[in-house]
Amino acid sequence: MRPVRLAALFLACAPAAAFAQAGPQPAGTWLTPAGDSQIRISRCGAGYCGTIAKVLAGETRDVHNPDAGLRTRSLVGVALTRDMRPAGEGWEGSLYNFRDGRTYSGKLAMKGPNVLELSGCVLGGLICKKQMWTRVD
């Protein structure tokens, strides 16, 4: 194969290769550590997105949303993660925390086939909080 064709083939495959990561993937339904909600993560574009699938206990409305017009909406269906793209050993993107109404930079990392580590950070990653979610399905 000529070098030009080989380079073209490599470039054509590069986006797919960038998305494909070895090991378990985060798609599925996850239980939060408090056991009060389930989050469904699925592919969206070149990354992953997560939405609240069920609220099992506690507040069922988005009462801490900074937009007063959204504070009465149901939490079910609210996007928590948006466009989590491959980065290092996991995925990076934005995280909405419905418990405080803020959006953080965040990361997802598989810690086994049924354990997902979620971290939300402020100040460019200087201060982070982590949670371990367990797979429901």
Side-chain angles (χ1 to χ4, degrees):
M1 188 176 261
R2 294 184 10 204
V4 173
R5 286 187 187 163
L6 186 59
L9 179 63
F10 174 77
L11 290 174
C13 295
F19 185 78
Q21 290 186 321
Q25 300 294 302
T29 303
W30 299 87
L31 182 66
T32 59
D36 59 356
S37 54
Q38 291 182 358
I39 313 303
R40 183 169 297 118
I41 297 179
S42 58
R43 287 186 63 175
C44 61
Y48 284 98
C49 295
T51 57
I52 300 173
K54 287 184 185 178
V55 176
L56 304 169
E59 182 59 56
T60 61
R61 303 276 169 207
D62 196 9
V63 296
H64 299 291
N65 195 299
D67 181 341
L70 297 176
R71 292 181 185 156
T72 59
R73 73 177 174 174
S74 172
L75 284 172
V76 174
V78 169
L80 293 187
T81 65
R82 291 194 175 106
D83 202 23
M84 300 297 276
R85 296 192 176 257
E89 298 280 324
W91 299 266
E92 292 181 353
S94 63
L95 301 171
Y96 172 65
N97 182 349
F98 64 89
R99 290 183 178 92
D100 66 11
R102 294 184 177 174
T103 299
Y104 299 92
S105 63
K107 297 179 182 180
L108 299 176
M110 295 299 300
K111 296 301 181 181
N114 298 312
V115 178
L116 178 65
E117 181 182 79
L118 175 96
S119 59
C121 303
V122 295
L123 300 173
L126 292 176
I127 301 171
C128 299
K129 275 189 152 182
K130 294 182 180 181
Q131 291 185 348
M132 300 300 240
W133 292 0
T134 54
R135 190 181 296 275
V136 174
D137 66 356

